[in-house]
Amino acid sequence: MRAYQLTTIGSTPALVDLPLPAPGPGEVQVRIAACGLNFADLLMTEGKYQDTPEAPFVMGMELAGTVVAAGPGTSTPVGTRVAVFSGQGGLAEAGNFAEARCTPLPDAMGFDEAAAFQIAYGTSHVALGPRGRLAAGETLVVLGAAGGVGLTAVEIGKRMGARVIACARGADKLEVARKAGADVLIDSETPDLKAALKAAGGADVVYDAIGGEAGEAAFGALKPGGRYLVIGFAGGSQPKLRLNHALVKNLEIHGLYWGGYLKTDPAVLTGSMRTLFGWFAEGGLRPHISARMPLERTAEALEMLRSRRSTGKVVVTME
């Protein structure tokens, strides 16, 4: 099979031919149709992601495809269409994955949509629900609102009844956020982002996938009793939060690492994904995929993420 492999941390990944063994106990073999890219894929190449596999490994954290073989002790029928959160192995024509990581797809969900769905929607749903406790009528500020996870936060925030302020860079990205349901649009490069957010009414909840100065500005715009959700640092640096403000204003700061629940409380993810797939089946969610590229153009696809030229998700297709 062809696969996009990182040989050593810090090296340039390459498309190679690898053998494909039979699936082992508890595993199913999936013919991969699509793989969704994530900012974490870039961090892995530098060894900066908290769950970077030991090299060499095949890149690609989430994928979708069809079960073509089943190992001992499994019950998923051959021919089942599945989404898989594997942490690695998605950028390949096929692979063996733990059956427990596979979720059958709704009939109406295409493989590209499924590959773009789990991490982005799962992160926002768990962050805004159990962690952020976003309530109807509250104001949600989303930083990086046109990005892979940020756009899903806009969608889910609106579904939960919030007033959504979307922050993104440039008119084109803000238009994407508007179409996803954002009520207020603010360019993230405005000279005084904190003042702009306060002028728009401030925030009950901040969803920060960017970090840096934007995160600091949004933190300063939180209302008393507000919640600040640490999602990631796509802007390249961590925000320097003034904890005296957290003290005086009774603010809460929550980190959210979606994949970490697989080890600590997998039922949270199982229940969340069940809800999200139900919303999709009702027509309430539609992944925004700004680019679809074949496997041999994976390097170009990753560069779109690195340069922040994409909106929503970038998906690599094998079929």
Side-chain angles (χ1 to χ4, degrees):
M1 65 172 186
R2 295 187 305 160
Y4 197 70
Q5 185 183 58
L6 182 71
T7 304
T8 58
I9 300 299
S11 65
T12 300
L15 193 60
V16 298
D17 287 312
L18 296 176
L20 179 62
E27 292 183 335
V28 294
Q29 187 170 105
V30 177
R31 183 176 69 248
I32 300 171
C35 177
L37 299 186
N38 294 276
F39 189 73
D41 291 309
L42 298 175
L43 296 178
M44 284 185 186
T45 64
E46 303 172 2
K48 295 180 179 179
Y49 189 61
Q50 56 264 29
D51 272 347
T52 299
E54 184 176 348
F57 65 91
V58 175
M59 297 177 62
M61 299 176 67
E62 59 180 334
L63 61 104
T66 304
V67 174
V68 293
T74 60
S75 59
T76 303
V78 170
T80 302
R81 301 166 67 251
V82 294
V84 186
F85 173 68
S86 55
Q88 60 177 297
L91 286 168
E93 293 174 322
N96 297 320
F97 305 100
E99 184 183 39
R101 296 288 187 98
C102 302
T103 303
L105 299 182
D107 291 340
M109 182 177 277
F111 286 127
D112 56 346
E113 293 175 312
F117 196 87
Q118 292 182 98
I119 294 176
Y121 282 100
T123 294
S124 293
H125 186 246
V126 174
L128 297 177
R131 303 300 283 168
R133 307 185 312 281
L134 181 67
E138 288 190 316
T139 296
L140 167 68
V141 168
V142 180
L143 302 183
V149 292
L151 199 59
T152 64
V154 173
E155 278 189 273
I156 291 173
K158 285 301 296 181
R159 190 178 181 92
M160 294 174 71
R163 172 176 174 261
V164 178
I165 300 176
C167 296
R169 184 172 55 186
D172 291 344
K173 289 187 176 182
L174 287 171
E175 176 61 15
V176 171
R178 185 194 66 78
K179 289 180 178 178
D183 300 287
V184 180
L185 307 175
I186 298 178
D187 194 309
S188 58
E189 294 188 338
T190 191
D192 191 339
L193 182 58
K194 177 181 174 180
L197 290 170
K198 284 191 169 184
D204 295 294
V205 177
V206 169
Y207 182 101
D208 183 9
I210 300 299
E213 293 182 356
E216 295 163 16
F219 184 77
L222 275 167
K223 302 175 187 177
R227 286 86 73 199
Y228 178 85
L229 303 173
V230 183
I231 307 301
F233 314 110
S237 64
Q238 299 179 23
K240 299 175 182 177
L241 304 181
R242 301 187 65 175
L243 296 184
N244 60 319
H245 286 192
L247 173 67
V248 173
K249 295 169 71 175
N250 291 315
L251 304 179
E252 300 176 33
I253 302 171
H254 295 285
L256 192 284
Y257 169 40
W258 184 78
Y261 278 98
L262 288 168
K263 299 175 183 177
T264 61
D265 194 353
V268 170
L269 300 190
T270 303
S272 172
M273 202 52 55
R274 187 182 303 117
T275 296
L276 290 167
F277 277 153
W279 288 353
F280 178 91
E282 294 169 3
L285 301 176
R286 279 295 177 267
H288 175 81
I289 301 172
S290 60
R292 296 170 176 82
M293 296 188 181
L295 185 59
E296 54 268 22
R297 293 178 63 190
T298 298
E300 182 181 345
L302 287 169
E303 184 55 34
M304 288 190 70
L305 291 188
R306 192 188 312 276
S307 62
R308 295 173 65 182
R309 288 185 288 115
S310 60
T311 55
K313 294 285 282 192
V314 176
V315 172
V316 172
T317 60
M318 275 52 108
E319 296 182 348

